[in-house]
Amino acid sequence: MNNANNDVSDKVKAAIENLRKALREQFDFLDATPVLSESDIEKVVAERKQLAKILDLEKKLLDIWDEIRPYPVHFKREDWPKYRKFSIEEPSSQKNEKEKKEDLTFTLFGKNYSLTSVEKDRGFIDYNEESRYPYELILRNAEGELLLATKIFRVHVEDVMFYTTGGLIGFVPGDWLEDYLSEYEKMVVLKEKSKRDFYDKVRQKKLEDMKQNFGLE
C-alpha cells in the first residue's frame, strides 16, 4: 500500500513540475506582450482566453468551488483535514440573501483569497427542457483583484441537479495559478483514491456476505 501511495505521489509531483514549467513559459510570453492599443488589448485578451481554454480553467474553478463549499461547516470538526481534498485553511462563508451571493474566504499556501458565487437573473428553460439558473464564480486575491471569473449554470433535469460551465468572464495569469493547478491535480488524485477505496469496501463486504450466506467461512 505504501509503495502504491508513493507511486501516486511521485506521479503527481512530476505532473505538477511539468505544469509549472509550461505555465512559466506562458507567463513569460504574456508578460512580454505590451498593451498599447486596442488591437494589442484584443490580442492579449485572445491569448489569455486561449490559455484558459488549454488549462480548462472554467471547469477547474467549478470543481474547486464544488469541493470547498462545505468546508466552512466541516472546518469546525477536529477530523476535517482527513476529508479535505483541496488544502485550504481557515475557510469561512458569508451569505448575502439580498444580493443572492455567497463569499467563501480562505488561505492557500499562506495567501488569502475569496471565491464568490453570485446568482444572476431568473432562470430559463433551454431547448432540452432543462431548467437553467445562471451564476457567476469570481476568484479574488486579498486585495480584491479579480484573478479568474466564469459563468456557470445550475441545471435541473427532472429530479437531477448539477452545475455546468457557461463561459469565461475574466482571467489574470500569475503565480497564484500554479498553486491552484497543483492543488487541483492533487484533489483529483485524492478523489479518485477515495472512490476506489469506497468500491473496494463495497466489494469486500459483498464477498464477506457471500461467504457467510453460503457457509464458506
Side-chain angles (χ1 to χ4, degrees):
M1 180 64 71
N2 288 335
N3 289 335
N5 289 336
N6 289 336
D7 289 342
V8 170
S9 178
D10 290 341
K11 289 179 181 178
V12 171
K13 288 179 181 178
I16 290 172
E17 220 29 66
N18 291 334
L19 179 62
R20 289 182 183 276
K21 182 179 178 181
L23 287 174
R24 203 65 265 157
E25 292 174 354
Q26 287 287 342
F27 293 161
D28 290 343
F29 172 76
L30 293 175
D31 290 343
T33 306
V35 180
L36 301 174
S37 65
E38 182 177 345
S39 61
D40 290 327
I41 293 173
E42 291 174 348
K43 180 181 178 182
V44 174
V45 168
E47 290 167 350
R48 293 187 176 183
K49 284 183 176 180
Q50 181 63 17
L51 178 59
K53 182 178 180 180
I54 292 171
L55 296 173
D56 202 14
L57 294 184
E58 289 184 58
K59 181 180 183 301
K60 286 182 170 65
L61 184 63
L62 174 57
D63 289 346
I64 291 170
W65 173 69
D66 193 48
E67 168 65 24
I68 70 175
R69 275 191 299 163
Y71 282 12
V73 174
H74 295 170
F75 178 64
K76 299 174 183 178
R77 297 169 42 177
E78 292 184 1
D79 63 345
W80 92 282
K82 178 180 178 182
Y83 303 98
R84 179 181 55 178
K85 304 293 190 300
F86 198 82
S87 300
I88 62 173
E89 301 287 349
E90 303 294 331
S92 65
S93 171
Q94 184 173 358
K95 293 184 179 181
N96 186 321
E97 299 294 342
K98 183 177 181 180
E99 297 183 9
K100 297 183 178 180
K101 73 174 185 177
E102 179 180 13
D103 290 312
L104 289 171
T105 58
F106 53 89
T107 64
L108 179 65
F109 298 126
K111 299 174 185 177
N112 297 323
Y113 297 95
S114 67
L115 182 52
T116 303
S117 58
V118 185
E119 185 175 357
K120 303 306 290 183
D121 300 326
R122 296 175 58 186
F124 60 91
I125 308 297
D126 73 0
Y127 61 89
N128 289 321
E129 297 187 356
E130 298 176 345
S131 300
R132 292 185 168 232
Y133 299 86
Y135 286 72
E136 290 181 359
L137 287 181
I138 307 165
L139 178 67
R140 293 186 174 91
N141 60 17
E143 289 71 38
E145 298 168 335
L146 183 148
L147 302 176
L148 180 61
T150 182
K151 298 175 184 177
I152 63 171
F153 291 101
R154 189 180 82 238
V155 182
H156 295 259
V157 185
E158 296 181 350
D159 295 331
V160 179
M161 189 277 287
F162 59 92
Y163 289 91
T164 186
T165 57
L168 186 70
I169 296 173
F171 168 45
V172 182
D175 292 340
W176 67 270
L177 186 56
E178 298 180 26
D179 293 337
Y180 275 81
L181 292 182
S182 64
E183 279 301 301
Y184 180 86
E185 294 303 322
K186 287 193 285 187
M187 180 185 80
V188 170
V189 171
L190 289 173
K191 289 172 81 72
E192 285 298 320
K193 184 178 183 301
S194 293
K195 187 185 297 185
R196 288 197 306 270
D197 290 347
F198 171 77
Y199 285 118
D200 285 345
K201 289 180 180 178
V202 171
R203 184 181 61 183
Q204 189 61 37
K205 178 64 167 57
K206 182 179 179 180
L207 290 174
E208 292 297 327
D209 288 345
M210 289 171 63
K211 286 166 61 178
Q212 182 177 358
N213 293 341
F214 289 89
L216 300 176
E217 291 187 323

